[in-house]
Amino acid sequence: MNMKLRLFHLLTFIVTFTGPITYSHAALAHQEHSGFVIIEAENFATQHLDSKRRWLVFSQNTPSHIYSDSDQAHYDGASNGSYIELLPDTRSNHHEDIVRNENFTNQAGTMAVLSYPVYFKTPGKYYVWARAYSTGSEDNGVHIGLNGSWPESAKRLQLCQGKHAWTWSSAQRRDTNHCGSPNTITIHVPQKGVHTVMVSMREDGFELDKLLLTQDKNYQPSNIDKAETLHISSSLPEKTELFEIKEYTRILHAIDDFTIANTGEIPYYHHKSKNALAINAVNKAYRDKFAHAEYKVQSKENGSYTLTLVTLAEIDGESTYTISLNNKEIGKFINPKTAEDYQEIYFHIQGVELQKGDIIRVSSLAVTNGKIPENDGTAYARGRWRALVMNKEN
Ligand SMILES: [Ca+2]
Ligand SMILES: [Ca+2]
Ligand SMILES: [Ca+2]
Ligand SMILES: [Ca+2]
């Protein structure tokens, strides 16, 4: 690798690690709430089969478009200030030719298919309402579906009343009644879980602002009605310790995985609130002497490891730590000076070969640096440590 290329790689590395970090998902997640699902039509998750006609999103800031269309934009009064229209619209009235599978289709699910995944807690029958804007006789029909199926009960949602205004409809067009009767568009949600509410073209030029699904047969939406029913994520529990451990094979926790070796010298105690082993340095006999804890290697842990000892720095002393394998010292470390109590310090030992039955011993010392007055002397650091992290090599 020449120097230029090497520099380039280094820069790439830096950019990768300092760039903005986002964990959010792309689409809004809708869910049912108390028997209602409210969706802004413009918040669809996906659109398919859109080579001839496509739902386009309109709002106040949308520039004028370049497609056939018989009416102006209608973002005034639209819920969320935004809606979708199916364009181009080449048949706005009876005088313009019907071209099947182009400006009209009775085959639900074949053109301009929108998907809205929704989590339903309550399965069962839902009445589907659409808030739409119609200015002609051939821009007021749309199909509704669920999970890629287009049941007869949800085809041909039709809007007759309320021309030139945003209007709610849940009427199904029938041969005997082109305007349909209210509350006749329904879907059946088979079980609790995520189901995809779908919309597809019947007539081009259709304008859709909002969808409302309700289990209440008598519910009559008005104006912009309820706000979208969105899933709001709660915060996840954050990591509270071992912050710099970015990968590991196994974490041996000082308190949970080590036995406190009874060597006849001085013991560790469990400092539970700090999740650490510690030496009770109040007892003068426990000062400046090593306490020990041991772990016996299991057969499934045979192999070569990098070991990382995680200690806690203390303001009143810089404790010494040793790690030994079968009584042979393989590492010795001293905590750095710190201005902040209990911050984690990481000490590494590479190339440690472990076999079943090996004894890993961690030892530490309670010491004072003479800086923090306490009673008639100075305070002692307690040789605290939190974990020994095993990271398998190769
Ligand atoms: Ca239009
Ligand atoms: Ca049309
Ligand atoms: Ca239109
Ligand atoms: Ca809307």
Side-chain angles (χ1 to χ4, degrees):
M1 196 183 283
N2 68 38
M3 275 311 288
K4 261 187 190 164
L5 207 57
R6 196 188 293 267
L7 186 63
F8 173 78
H9 277 265
L10 184 66
L11 287 172
T12 309
F13 180 84
I14 291 167
V15 168
T16 306
F17 274 75
T18 57
I21 300 167
T22 55
Y23 303 100
S24 59
H25 45 76
L28 295 170
H30 292 93
Q31 69 176 15
E32 174 235 327
H33 184 69
S34 302
F36 282 88
V37 175
I38 319 291
I39 300 169
E40 295 287 354
E42 61 274 16
N43 289 336
F44 55 88
T46 65
Q47 177 163 206
H48 291 94
L49 304 176
D50 62 348
S51 59
K52 292 182 183 168
R53 293 294 181 275
R54 190 171 303 159
W55 296 97
L56 303 180
V57 178
F58 290 93
S59 65
Q60 188 168 8
N61 298 321
T62 310
S64 60
H65 66 77
I66 53 172
Y67 308 107
S68 295
D69 191 5
S70 66
D71 52 18
Q72 302 275 356
H74 300 122
Y75 51 80
D76 274 344
S79 180
N80 194 36
S82 183
Y83 66 98
I84 53 176
E85 181 171 12
L86 189 51
L87 293 174
D89 181 6
T90 58
R91 189 180 192 235
S92 60
N93 60 66
H94 287 103
H95 303 289
E96 294 176 322
D97 289 340
I98 186 167
V99 184
R100 288 179 190 278
N101 305 318
E102 192 171 305
N103 58 25
F104 171 86
T105 179
N106 229 358
Q107 305 299 311
T110 60
M111 292 182 71
V113 178
L114 299 178
S115 299
Y116 304 88
V118 177
Y119 175 72
F120 288 87
K121 265 185 287 191
T122 320
K125 184 177 185 177
Y126 283 82
Y127 297 86
V128 181
W129 292 82
R131 190 169 191 248
Y133 200 115
S134 168
T135 59
S137 58
E138 308 301 328
D139 66 347
N140 55 354
V142 75
H143 300 295
I144 306 293
L146 187 74
N147 296 334
S149 295
W150 304 86
E152 179 56 29
S153 66
K155 288 176 181 168
R156 303 184 308 282
L157 187 151
Q158 188 79 10
L159 189 79
C160 280
Q161 307 292 318
K163 292 281 178 192
H164 302 281
W166 286 109
T167 302
W168 288 101
S169 175
S170 179
Q172 185 174 49
R173 177 193 168 98
R174 306 250 160 93
D175 284 343
T176 50
N177 174 6
H178 284 193
C179 284
S181 6
N183 299 337
T184 49
I185 293 287
T186 63
I187 56 167
H188 181 79
V189 173
Q191 73 271 323
K192 176 176 169 173
V194 177
H195 299 278
T196 303
V197 174
M198 304 180 91
V199 171
S200 80
M201 164 163 148
R202 185 168 188 271
E203 292 172 322
D204 61 3
F206 195 97
E207 292 167 40
L208 183 60
D209 176 22
K210 203 166 185 175
L211 294 168
L212 182 149
L213 282 61
T214 176
Q215 293 204 296
D216 180 356
K217 183 173 185 186
N218 298 314
Y219 191 79
Q220 169 64 56
S222 61
N223 300 321
I224 63 169
D225 213 81
K226 300 176 192 297
E228 263 188 311
T229 50
L230 295 174
H231 168 69
I232 309 296
S233 296
S234 56
S235 59
L236 292 168
E238 290 175 20
K239 194 171 175 175
T240 57
E241 57 178 41
L242 305 182
F243 296 105
E244 294 303 319
I245 302 299
K246 306 301 186 191
E247 60 175 7
Y248 62 85
T249 309
R250 185 166 178 205
I251 295 171
L252 300 174
H253 293 278
I255 284 186
D256 298 325
D257 296 306
F258 276 79
T259 41
I260 298 170
N262 184 3
T263 60
E265 296 180 57
I266 61 168
Y268 277 121
Y269 69 94
H270 289 178
H271 188 173
K272 289 207 167 113
S273 67
K274 293 280 170 257
N275 193 24
L277 288 180
I279 298 160
N280 181 12
V282 170
N283 184 335
K284 288 183 180 174
Y286 292 175
R287 295 174 176 177
D288 302 305
K289 290 197 189 106
F290 280 97
H292 310 286
E294 291 181 351
Y295 176 76
K296 188 188 237 181
V297 175
Q298 303 171 34
S299 62
K300 62 187 173 189
E301 292 162 347
N302 287 355
S304 179
Y305 290 87
T306 296
L307 300 180
T308 301
L309 179 67
V310 183
T311 70
L312 301 184
E314 300 175 52
I315 56 171
D316 37 21
E318 292 75 45
S319 291
T320 295
Y321 298 82
T322 65
I323 298 177
S324 53
L325 184 62
N326 301 327
N327 286 322
K328 178 173 178 283
E329 188 175 292
I330 58 171
K332 183 172 189 176
F333 312 105
I334 300 173
N335 263 354
K337 294 189 175 99
T338 182
E340 183 195 337
D341 247 347
Y342 310 128
Q343 64 167 307
E344 291 183 338
I345 307 296
Y346 309 87
F347 297 112
H348 308 286
I349 313 173
Q350 293 180 322
V352 180
E353 295 291 337
L354 296 179
Q355 283 191 347
K356 179 189 175 185
D358 285 350
I359 301 292
I360 303 173
R361 170 183 274 203
V362 176
S363 310
S364 63
L365 207 57
V367 297
T368 182
N369 54 20
K371 287 181 183 168
I372 314 289
E374 189 178 89
N375 301 326
D376 53 349
T378 57
Y380 272 68
R382 296 190 171 203
R384 289 177 177 86
W385 60 282
R386 181 166 276 165
L388 186 69
V389 180
M390 303 170 68
N391 206 352
K392 201 155 191 177
E393 297 173 349
N394 304 320

